[in-house]
Structure formats: C-alpha cells, structure tokens
Amino acid sequence: MKNIRNFCIIAHIDHGKSTLADRLLQATNTISERDMMDQVLDDMDLEREKGITIKSHAIQINYKYKNGEDYTLNLIDTPGHVDFSYEVSRALAACEGALLLVDATQGIQAQTISNLYLAIENDLEIIPVINKIDMDGAMIEEVTDQIIELIGCKKEDILLASGRAGIGITEILEGIVERIPSPKGNPEAPLQALIFDCVFNPFRGIIVYYRIVNGSIRKNEKIKFVSTDQEYDADEVGILKLKMQQTQIVDCGNVGYLITGIKNAKEVKVGDTIISAANPAEAIQGFEEVKPMVFAGIFPVVTDDFEELRDCMEKLQLNDASLTFELETSQALGFGFRCGFLGLLHMEIIQERLEREFDQTVITTVPNVSFVAYTTRGEKINVNNPTEMPDPTQMDRIEEPFIKAQIITKPEYIGNIMTLCLGKRGILINQSYLTQTRVELIFEMPLTEIVFDFYDKLKSQTRGYASFDYHPLEYRESDIVKMDILLNSEKVDALSALIHRSRAQEFGRKLCEKLKELLPRQQFQIAIQAAIGAKIVARENISAMRKDVTAKCYGGDISRKRKLLEKQKEGKKRMRQIGNVEVPQEAFLAVLKLDD
Amino acid sequence: MAGIYIHIPFCRKACHYCNFFFSTTLQLKNEVVDAILREIELTTGRKTEPIETIYFGGGTPSLLTTEQLKKILGKLHVEFMVSESAEITLEANPDDINAFLAEDWRRMGINRLSIGIQSFYDNDLEWMNRAHNASQGLNSIELIRGAGFENFSIDLIFGAPVTSMDQWKDNVSKAVQLNIPHISSYALTVEPDTALDKMIRQKKKMNTDPDEQAKQYEYLMDAMTAAGYEHYEISSFSLPGMHSRHNSSYWKGVPYFGFGPGAHSFDGQQRKWNISSNPAYIKSINEGKIPSASELITPIKRMNEYIMTSLRTAPGIDLQFFTESFGEENLKQLQTGFKTAITNGHAILNNDQFFLTKEGKLFADGIAADLFFPE
C-alpha cells in the first residue's frame, strides 16, 4: 500500500489535461507508441469532439522511481464541466492528491477554482503544475503569483511543464511519488470501497470503478451496495490498465473495476459504498442522489417512432443514470418524454448521443428549471413542465431555484458582465481581485436565466475571457408566468415557456420573430402570437404562399422532379400539424436560437 | 408507340439559369455526332415499335450542320420504324436561324421547331446571359415562317428580377399578336449549382420573388386563355390542335429512347440516363458500350409519376386509366387524398377526371406531393 498513489488532475477545459495524461502514460510505457491515440482517456467520440471529459475514467500507471522501487500510480480522470460536479467530487474523494494544471497562457479559471476547493475540502495534496510553458504568450510569472495567492504554496513547489513538448514529465512523476501520501486504510478490516464511476458495456453490463478504502475485494466474493442493499457476485475484479486486467484480488488502497452482470446503471450509484455481504461494514460517507437541474421534452420527429425512441432512452439510461425521464404527451408533438438533465450541456450530450449512437432524430422542447408552486389550498406542486403550472387564480405563490454564480474575468470586462448578469436578474454579492489582472465576481441569480443563451452571451461579451461556475442555492419566491405561443389562435403546448414577468414581453417578441423566420409559408396567412393568459404580448404575421409549382417537366426531369416531390412529402411527414398550420422540427428549437 | 429524344450537348454561350447538360467548347461536335450514330446502332430493345415523335433537344441542336442532322435522322430511319406522320421537333436558338438552314430543316423532314426566344426584351436576355438579342428573336420567327414552318413553339421565361409586370404583359401580348401557335412558358427557377445560383448566393444577382412570379403566372394564364389558347399543361399553351405530341407522351408515360450524352430514356420499367460528359460518352461508345445509369421505376414510382405529370395537364388524373393501370385498391387510397385540394378550391373532380383549377395550378407541386404513395 505504501507504493500506491491515487491522484487526479484538476484543470479547466483546454488547459491540456488530456495531452498531459497521455505523456504520463507514454513516459511510463503504460501504452506503446502503437496504441497511442491522442488523448486516450477521452474515449467517447463526443468527448473527443467537445474536448471535454463527460464521464470519468481511471488508468493505472506502473512507475519505477529513481531509487529503483516500483510504484502504482492510479490516475483518476474527472469530468471537466459544471453539469457533472457531483461526479467530480466522488472522483476527488477517491484520491490522496491532485495535479492542479493551469494553462500558462490563460491563468486560473472559475471551474478550476471550484474544483480546487473541492479537492482541498477532501484533504488532497495539491501539486500545482503550470502547463504550456513553451507557448507564445505564456505568462509564467503571473500565473505563478495567481497559484501562490490561491493555495499559499511556495514558488518552488510549482512545477513547469508542457504536455505537448514533453517538458517536466519526469518531475511530475517524481512529484506524485514524493509529495502525494500513500493511501491509509486497514487491509484486514471488512471491505469498504467507494464507487466513483461506472460505465456500461454492451457485452459485460455495468462495469463499476471504485477505490478500496479498507479491506480488499476478491473474485467471486459476495458483495453488497450499501444504498440499494442489493447483493451481487463479484464475477470479475481487476485493475485498470489501458484495457481491463483481471486479477484474483484488488487490495486495500488500490483502484479497480468490478463486473457483476448488472445491466442497469440505476442499480449502481456513484458515491455509494461496496461492502462484503458476509462481513458488512458501514458506508464510507453519505452520498447524494444527483438531482436533475434542467427539464425538457424529447419527442420523436415522426410520431410512429415513439416506441423505438423509448427503447433507445432506456438503453441510454443504462449507462447514464443521471438521465431521468417520464412519459409526456403533447397535443403538438404526441407521445414523448419529459427528461431531467444535470445541465444544458448534459441535455445537448443526450440529444447528440440519441442521434449518433441510436440514430434517432428528436425534437427537444423549451428547457426549463424546476419551479415550486403553492396553491391557495396549500398544496405544493413541483413544476417541471409548463403544463404543470397551476391556474393563476389558484396559485398562492411560486418559487424558483437560485444559484451562486462565480465568474472570473479580466477587469476590462466587468462592465459587460454586470450588464449581462443584472439584466438576467442577478444580484452582485461580491467583487474581488484575485490578482491585478483577474477579478472574481459573485452573483446570486435565478437558475432559469442561465438556461437560455447565458454561456454564449458571456463568451461574446468577454471575448472568451471569462470562466463561469455555479452552485445551487435555495428556492426564492418569484413572479413567474406561463407564456403560450399561438399559431392561428391554436395554442402550441410544446412552445410554452415559464418565464419571469419582467422578461416575458421581450422574450415573446423575439420568439415570434424567430418563428416567423422558421415557419414555411403556407397557403393561408399565419398569425403567430405570444400570450400570457388571455393577454397577447407579441404578434407576427406570415403572409400566404402564392405559388408552389416548378416550371417545366420534360422527359429528363421526371425522375428528378418525382424525387423532389417525394422529399417534399417526406418533409411534410416530419412536420407537426397545429390546427391548420404545419410546423417543422426546427421551429420547436426556436427558443434556443433567440438572439438580440 | 414510342418516342425518341436526341440530346445535343453544345451551346455557344452558357445561360446562367440552365441546369441541362451542355458544353461551350464545340470541338467534339463531330465525334459526339458519330458516337450518337453508333449509340443508335448499339441500342437493342423494342426497335420495331412505331416511332411517333422525335425530339432534338439540348444544349442547342441548331448548332449542328445540315449534314450532321441528316446523318442522325437517316440513321433513325434505318434503325427504327419512324411513322410517316411522326412529329419531328428541333430546338433552335434565334441566333442560329437563317433562311437557308430553316429550309434545309424543313426538307429533311423536321416539321416542328421550338425556338428559345425567352423574352422580347434585351434587358431580360442580357440578365439571363442568352446568346441572342430581342431583334434576332423577332427576326427568327419571321425566317422560319418564311421557310414554311407553321407548327412551332417559343419559350418565354417570366419572373426574373429584371422582368417587371409591365414588361411581362408586353411579352405575352407580343406572342399573342404574332399568333405563335405554341408557347412554353415557365418561371425562372434557380436550380442548385447553376451559375445563377452561385451569383445569387454571392449577392451578385438579385433572387427571384415568388409572389411576383405568381402574379406574372396568373396574368399569363388569363391572357392566354382570353386569346384563345388552350392551357393544356402547367407550362404549355397552344392554339387548338397544336399541342406538343412529344412532350405529351412524356406526361402519359409513353416509352422513349434517348441518345446522346446526358440523354434520358424510359422503356416502361427503367429510366436510364447517359453519362453527362462528352469525352467519357465518346470513349465508352467507341468501346461498344452505352455509358448509362438507370433507375427501376417500380409500380409505386410509376403511380407517383403518373400523378405528378397528369396533374400538370388540363384533363388531370384519369380515374379510369388509373384503375386500369394500378388497381381498385390504389384508386381508393388516391381518392381519400382529393378532399383537401377540392375544399381549397384547387381541384375539381368531374366525370372521373381529377384536375386542377386555375388557382390549383399555382400549387401543383404540393398537391401532387400530398397525393404521392409511400414507397
């Protein structure tokens, strides 16, 4: 156990975490040149493309230290996005140390700071590393100051590296051995292992990743998960090299995997404790169920495909337990699902995975947060869907979730950020200079305001020089109204939105304008209206289409023209009929594309 | 009964809106003509069917010399049973036409001409990048009449951004005054990947306005009908008895042979199209192989094509013919789709004919698509 080191890397997106990880694996011959694919740890297509880690992974590195001793270094990779902060916290809890990786050209970002605080809370030994020191625009001095100020370390504690150029890799490996403490635990005590991740493998079922805190786990042993109280046989245990490597036993302090034949991710909860069925111990610590923050409807584009979509959603949930869904019926869209996501990125990922991995094209409706309404009769109603909103005459009050938003930026962008956040009903709580050129702003804001276009606006208002992180606060009373969209006087339930009264009119106007762009002209005039209750707050008209006929049709044109009309028909099939108006799929996404 | 289409893929100048296959380098003309002759020989299939129509299209068939045209016609007469009363049409551009050539055409048996007039206004013609001007257009009509052609058609394009309503009205009345026996008239269409398409995307040219096009089309329908023309197909107007027999065959699903680069053919089951490249066409034909791709026209596709093409014609869908060709069940399904168009005033069902009203003609595509059978 004294030669085991469990560590993770805390870094902001694009600060070079994956490249650095690859270098560590190469330098220790954990992977051969032949196996080398850039950024080995990010193995989902989507992760590669978005350059972020969605699910955490782990890999074991065997390292011969300069004194000749062999060390086992377990690198636990952590997700890099605020949507997945609970998974981050569990990955951190499985480690004794962390590399704090900061891009020399960019300095410390909000996301890094919040994860760093999590690491410090978990008593992790922090090894600060400044990466990309070979790049033009590296500000080594300035970033060094930032780090010293932030964690109170000495200048000489900070390692300098470049993943791309392979600089500083040996120093980092030696630093891990020398500075990160070995795991403490009792090998003789009953088994306690912390689950920090699980993945779904279509052939093996759920593969559970854990860190053994006390005791050890043996192949074929009967084990139990504390939170679900379910018993399983440990069909296979082992350690995580580039591929899984079976062993008879995984010892105290080590990181390993477990296969029990579980098919459904719901049975395995990140943060739960694995114990021995024969000799049960306590849970290591209480764990939280992750709660969805954002809700939206997902509907098949063609109504007939509902059963197929249900199948795919169920499969998707097998490997992403944080996705929740229940049946939803919409007049406009037919049968579909009300889904809960950890955040907007998570929603986007689910949608893309449905398309790429399951070949499903779907309509996603206006996302909203979860509101709490109290009726005059004293009932409390969770409103995850505009249709669940009680009638205004029966409503006593409604509350909305607030967050604490932390934004780190350059001083010249303070004004823009203030305008943005105050415009989104934010309340400035604190403003402090981390260094002369970096300022931290703390706002309390309604979560619903960051669901739409906040990230994009923040990015454009600060030319990308702002990082953002948030944590949920409590629910607060608020003037939330339901805004409906009507097409030729027919209400389109799938376009209804829950929104603060002060923002409703502008939102309605923009939405009507966007819909005017997206709805094809039809043989009659279309009136697009936004309404709060019976009051119309915005209106646009689409004039009637006067012509839908193409010119000539000679011999050579017949096949081509037939195909065009077949496509036209196919397109119509994909449209939804609202009263007499045909609405294309894009229109339901209009609300996500509103701009100024 | 069958028809023959010959594609002559050469043009002096590229009209910006055109999406037919053509080349503006004329060097390979002889080789292409020779290859067409060879292709006619190589063609197997029902060559004993009486040929009722022959159509030289393009490109610009009037770019062929008298000798070249004669060779092709001669070969057709040798290889096929060309009916004595066959309609033989040649597409000709005004700038190619002269008295001698027109005389030659008539003598060799060409009995119908289709002239690419497009407009009687120079600003339209320049905008379209046509090779001729307005006076050449008028002159060409006089010349062919002088050579004895009474059966001919002119093309007129409406709805270009430079074509004002007044200009369009004047174009139509000129055609009527000239007592042109047949007019093919269509809205300027921006086809993908044409020069026009690119220019519009690069904002070098204005896009067309569908509402203005609709107005000009409505005017056209009214004016032509008032002048005694039959509006016998969406884009085709004729004085009584002067329909294009060749085009009408396409719309009735009559088989046709196609020769030349990019030419299409249909044998009742398969639609084939030759490769759209002059050198590749010549090379393959010289090796004894007709370079074509094909599409099987399944019964459903045939049904949809019938719906699409017949709806464009004045008599519309003939329910008896439909039943005989595709069966009772399909007829029943087809009829369920009639209601919307009838309620909207876009179509009429009368004496087993389902046909479009004047208003309906503006929406022919959508109405046909709605009636399509799923594959």
Side-chain angles (χ1 to χ4, degrees):
Chain A
M1 202 158 47
K2 88 179 194 356
N3 285 8
I4 295 176
R5 300 290 181 270
N6 297 319
F7 73 105
C8 60
I9 304 176
I10 296 171
H12 189 69
I13 300 164
D14 289 339
H15 280 202
K17 180 173 75 170
S18 298
T19 312
L20 184 78
D22 291 350
R23 288 292 164 269
L24 297 178
L25 301 183
Q26 274 179 319
T28 52
N29 295 319
T30 308
I31 48 167
S32 62
E33 285 295 329
R34 196 163 48 89
D35 292 335
M36 186 65 198
M37 267 165 83
D38 275 342
Q39 305 188 359
V40 169
L41 288 181
D42 292 350
D43 64 3
M44 278 165 78
D45 275 0
L46 267 174
E47 294 189 349
R48 264 168 211 280
E49 270 171 44
K50 292 194 185 280
I52 52 161
T53 310
I54 299 164
K55 299 284 290 178
S56 54
H57 305 270
I59 191 162
Q60 191 172 95
I61 299 169
N62 291 326
Y63 174 58
K64 197 181 270 301
Y65 184 56
K66 55 191 175 191
N67 67 4
E69 277 187 54
D70 287 317
Y71 281 81
T72 299
L73 314 181
N74 290 308
L75 165 58
I76 296 171
D77 202 13
T78 54
H81 192 276
V82 56
D83 283 4
F84 305 98
S85 56
Y86 182 68
E87 296 196 17
V88 176
S89 79
R90 295 308 81 199
L92 294 177
C95 300
E96 277 79 31
L99 301 180
L100 169 67
L101 192 67
V102 184
D103 186 326
T105 66
Q106 306 214 16
I108 291 181
Q109 308 285 314
Q111 183 74 64
T112 322
I113 295 182
S114 54
N115 284 344
L116 177 70
Y117 289 155
L118 269 178
I120 292 170
E121 270 170 42
N122 279 282
D123 282 332
L124 264 56
E125 176 65 33
I126 309 294
I127 304 178
V129 178
I130 299 179
N131 194 24
K132 304 194 187 178
I133 56 161
D134 58 328
M135 299 263 285
D136 292 342
M139 313 171 289
I140 299 172
E141 285 304 309
E142 197 189 322
V143 176
T144 303
D145 289 348
Q146 286 176 16
I147 293 172
I148 291 172
E149 216 165 307
L150 196 64
I151 59 173
C153 63
K154 293 199 204 84
K155 194 176 175 185
E156 38 296 352
D157 292 340
I158 301 172
L159 304 179
L160 300 179
S162 164
R164 205 163 304 257
I167 301 167
I169 305 302
T170 312
E171 289 76 4
I172 292 172
L173 287 165
E174 288 173 357
I176 291 167
V177 170
E178 290 159 9
R179 289 156 68 174
I180 295 176
S182 59
K184 288 172 198 62
N186 181 0
E188 309 307 325
L191 169 66
Q192 281 177 308
L194 170 70
I195 299 176
F196 63 83
D197 197 10
C198 67
V199 295
F200 174 78
N201 177 306
F203 304 106
R204 312 295 312 269
I206 301 290
I207 302 171
V208 180
Y209 295 172
Y210 53 85
R211 146 77 193 274
I212 303 207
V213 178
N214 285 308
S216 60
I217 190 166
R218 282 176 188 282
K219 186 179 160 124
N220 296 328
E221 184 179 350
K222 271 222 183 307
I223 53 99
K224 199 164 147 179
F225 295 159
V226 174
S227 80
T228 59
D229 205 30
Q230 291 278 324
E231 282 186 23
Y232 304 95
D233 289 317
D235 296 338
E236 184 180 322
V237 298
I239 52 170
L240 296 149
K241 297 292 194 142
L242 190 57
K243 294 200 170 91
M244 292 184 292
Q245 194 172 310
Q246 270 199 61
T247 55
Q248 288 301 310
I249 183 168
V250 178
D251 287 314
C252 188
N254 213 344
V255 168
Y257 73 89
L258 162 74
I259 296 174
T260 59
I262 297 173
K263 293 284 184 293
N264 191 338
K266 278 188 196 161
E267 292 178 45
V268 184
K269 302 196 188 288
V270 168
D272 200 359
T273 306
I274 310 172
I275 55 172
S276 158
N279 192 5
E282 298 278 293
I284 301 160
Q285 59 212 116
F287 85 106
E288 304 165 31
E289 290 266 6
V290 280
K291 266 192 248 127
M293 303 286 275
V294 173
F295 296 83
I298 287 187
F299 292 83
V301 168
V302 180
T303 35
D304 298 351
D305 295 343
F306 169 73
E307 285 302 328
E308 205 184 319
L309 178 63
R310 181 210 294 270
D311 238 38
C312 298
M313 294 288 289
E314 278 166 4
K315 279 190 193 137
L316 198 55
Q317 201 181 39
L318 290 183
N319 75 6
D320 186 349
S322 52
L323 166 71
T324 61
F325 61 88
E326 57 187 32
L327 192 73
E328 180 179 7
T329 350
S330 150
Q331 280 170 1
L333 301 172
F335 286 111
F337 300 97
R338 194 71 191 168
C339 303
F341 309 97
L342 298 178
L344 273 189
L345 179 76
H346 188 217
M347 173 171 126
E348 209 178 293
I349 287 166
I350 294 293
Q351 200 180 333
E352 284 196 45
R353 289 187 66 189
L354 278 171
E355 284 180 14
R356 290 193 201 189
E357 293 167 39
F358 297 95
D359 203 21
Q360 298 288 305
T361 34
V362 293
I363 296 172
T364 311
T365 62
V366 189
N368 60 261
V369 301
S370 184
F371 298 92
V372 177
Y374 294 89
T375 65
T376 45
R377 286 187 298 172
E379 282 172 299
K380 177 183 171 185
I381 298 170
N382 284 320
V383 181
N384 293 339
N385 188 335
T387 57
E388 291 164 348
M389 182 87 156
D391 192 87
T393 56
Q394 286 160 27
M395 194 151 66
D396 176 44
R397 66 184 195 280
I398 185 159
E399 293 177 350
E400 65 174 327
F402 266 65
I403 53 151
K404 182 175 150 192
Q406 174 193 30
I407 298 167
I408 296 179
T409 189
K410 292 186 173 178
E412 59 255 48
Y413 298 119
I414 293 176
N416 286 355
I417 290 175
M418 290 286 222
T419 312
L420 173 66
C421 293
L422 298 180
K424 290 194 169 279
R425 298 189 284 135
I427 305 155
L428 180 68
I429 298 301
N430 192 25
Q431 173 178 340
S432 60
Y433 282 80
L434 300 176
T435 65
Q436 277 191 338
T437 55
R438 300 188 76 70
V439 61
E440 182 193 54
L441 300 165
I442 307 282
F443 290 91
E444 288 182 0
M445 283 172 76
L447 176 63
T448 187
E449 295 289 342
I450 65 160
V451 166
F452 306 114
D453 73 359
F454 180 77
Y455 291 91
D456 289 344
K457 281 223 175 100
L458 182 64
K459 226 177 179 175
S460 64
Q461 296 288 311
T462 61
R463 303 182 176 202
Y465 284 109
S467 59
F468 168 74
D469 193 23
Y470 71 85
H471 294 281
L473 297 171
E474 69 287 344
Y475 275 69
R476 297 181 187 174
E477 190 173 338
S478 186
D479 191 6
I480 298 294
V481 293
K482 180 176 165 214
M483 200 183 70
D484 297 313
I485 294 292
L486 296 92
L487 295 178
N488 283 353
S489 308
E490 290 276 339
K491 204 182 278 181
V492 188
D493 58 358
L495 284 173
S496 294
L498 297 170
I499 187 161
H500 193 263
R501 193 182 297 276
S502 66
R503 316 256 294 140
Q505 181 157 10
E506 190 201 354
F507 179 77
R509 181 179 55 77
K510 284 188 190 166
L511 188 52
C512 289
E513 281 168 11
K514 195 75 196 171
L515 285 169
K516 182 176 177 170
E517 255 172 62
L518 293 172
L519 290 178
R521 295 170 78 185
Q522 284 163 47
Q523 289 174 20
F524 38 81
Q525 176 176 291
I526 304 170
I528 307 167
Q529 294 168 306
I532 299 171
K535 190 181 159 214
I536 305 296
V537 296
R539 176 182 174 124
E540 290 285 339
N541 285 327
I542 299 177
S543 60
M545 170 177 70
R546 302 215 31 204
K547 163 177 170 287
D548 176 19
V549 56
T550 44
K552 52 207 168 161
C553 184
Y554 302 140
D557 299 318
I558 293 177
S559 277
R560 193 174 69 95
K561 197 167 152 62
R562 189 200 67 237
K563 283 175 195 159
L564 280 177
L565 295 192
E566 279 167 357
K567 237 173 137 183
Q568 190 172 335
K569 170 133 187 165
E570 191 54 38
K572 272 192 191 172
K573 220 171 85 186
R574 294 165 75 95
M575 292 208 221
R576 295 311 173 85
Q577 190 89 27
I578 312 287
N580 58 357
V581 183
E582 279 164 341
V583 183
Q585 181 189 359
E586 302 82 63
F588 294 103
L589 306 174
V591 69
L592 294 175
K593 294 178 191 148
L594 297 183
D595 32 46
D596 293 304
Chain B
M1 190 174 110
I4 289 175
Y5 176 77
I6 314 267
H7 192 74
I8 306 301
F10 298 102
C11 287
R12 267 189 228 288
K13 204 170 163 187
C15 306
H16 286 161
Y17 55 85
C18 181
N19 68 333
F20 287 109
F21 169 59
F22 64 90
S23 159
T24 47
T25 41
L26 310 181
Q27 285 117 328
L28 290 172
K29 235 167 67 176
N30 269 326
E31 285 85 342
V32 166
V33 170
D34 287 345
I36 288 174
L37 299 175
R38 184 93 176 90
E39 189 193 357
I40 296 169
E41 285 170 11
L42 286 170
T43 295
T44 51
R46 298 190 293 183
K47 279 186 159 177
T48 51
E49 290 267 334
I51 299 297
E52 294 296 340
T53 62
I54 296 173
Y55 196 100
F56 288 90
T60 316
S62 53
L63 282 178
L64 293 189
T65 62
T66 300
E67 285 315 304
Q68 287 168 330
L69 277 171
K70 266 188 184 165
K71 269 197 219 165
I72 297 173
L73 270 177
K75 180 64 84 185
L76 290 177
H77 278 281
V78 172
E79 295 281 329
F80 289 92
M81 305 279 291
V82 180
S83 154
E84 269 188 39
S85 60
E87 173 195 273
I88 303 179
T89 308
L90 179 89
E91 282 182 355
N93 272 354
D95 46 313
D96 292 329
I97 294 173
N98 61 54
F100 303 106
L101 208 49
E103 180 66 22
D104 285 348
W105 292 338
R106 203 182 47 74
R107 281 205 196 144
M108 74 176 77
I110 290 167
N111 51 29
R112 186 172 180 272
L113 294 178
S114 171
I115 314 293
I117 297 280
Q118 317 306 354
S119 170
F120 295 108
Y121 278 87
D122 280 333
N123 67 335
D124 280 336
L125 296 170
E126 276 159 28
W127 190 88
M128 294 172 200
N129 201 38
R130 295 288 306 185
H132 71 280
N133 60 33
S135 68
Q136 282 174 310
L138 282 173
N139 195 32
S140 67
I141 293 170
E142 214 168 294
L143 287 170
I144 60 165
R145 280 194 157 135
F149 282 100
E150 288 308 323
N151 185 3
F152 66 95
S153 174
I154 66 168
D155 291 345
L156 287 180
I157 293 182
F158 58 87
V162 290
T163 315
S164 67
M165 188 60 171
D166 284 341
Q167 192 163 310
W168 174 239
K169 283 181 177 173
D170 193 49
N171 264 332
V172 175
S173 53
K174 274 215 174 72
V176 171
Q177 277 160 27
L178 288 165
N179 203 29
I180 306 290
H182 186 282
I183 293 166
S184 288
S185 185
Y186 42 90
L188 183 90
T189 309
V190 185
E191 300 284 358
D193 301 323
T194 54
L196 180 59
D197 179 34
K198 269 179 222 146
M199 288 186 231
I200 288 173
R201 275 189 279 131
Q202 292 166 357
K203 312 240 182 266
K204 287 182 187 160
K205 274 194 174 178
M206 265 215 322
N207 204 348
T208 54
D209 173 358
D211 289 357
E212 184 61 26
Q213 291 193 333
K215 281 183 209 151
Q216 297 191 1
Y217 184 53
E218 277 168 350
Y219 175 80
L220 173 73
M221 289 194 277
D222 291 341
M224 296 307 283
T225 315
Y229 282 79
E230 292 172 12
H231 186 186
Y232 73 102
E233 192 261 353
I234 294 278
S235 329
S236 310
F237 301 83
S238 88
L239 291 175
M242 305 303 272
H243 293 192
S244 161
R245 284 161 56 196
H246 185 79
N247 285 339
S248 300
S249 302
Y250 288 145
W251 306 324
K252 287 178 187 149
V254 174
Y256 55 96
F257 295 88
F259 302 113
H264 285 238
S265 60
F266 176 57
D267 65 5
Q269 257 126 38
Q270 281 203 315
R271 188 163 291 113
K272 287 194 201 166
W273 49 94
N274 287 347
I275 191 163
S276 290
S277 152
N278 291 345
Y281 171 77
I282 294 166
K283 184 165 177 281
S284 177
I285 294 286
N286 287 344
E287 287 162 3
K289 230 185 86 204
I290 300 174
S292 66
S294 65
E295 180 192 18
L296 182 69
I297 305 300
T298 59
I300 287 174
K301 286 188 179 134
R302 204 148 53 85
M303 210 151 49
N304 288 343
E305 286 184 358
Y306 174 73
I307 292 167
M308 175 181 87
T309 54
S310 64
L311 258 191
R312 291 174 63 93
T313 65
I317 298 173
D318 180 329
L319 300 193
Q320 253 172 6
F321 176 84
F322 190 92
T323 316
E324 284 159 25
S325 311
F326 308 112
E328 285 280 352
E329 276 306 301
N330 286 326
L331 179 75
K332 268 187 208 151
Q333 201 187 322
L334 178 73
Q335 280 172 311
T336 59
F338 288 170
K339 215 179 122 193
T340 323
I342 293 172
T343 336
N344 289 343
H346 289 166
I348 292 170
L349 181 63
N350 191 13
N351 281 334
D352 276 358
Q353 297 287 140
F354 177 77
F355 58 92
L356 299 182
T357 59
K358 185 187 133 195
E359 291 72 30
K361 284 181 172 125
L362 285 153
F363 298 99
D365 285 3
I367 297 169
D370 283 344
L371 293 174
F372 267 23
F373 286 73
E375 276 276 6

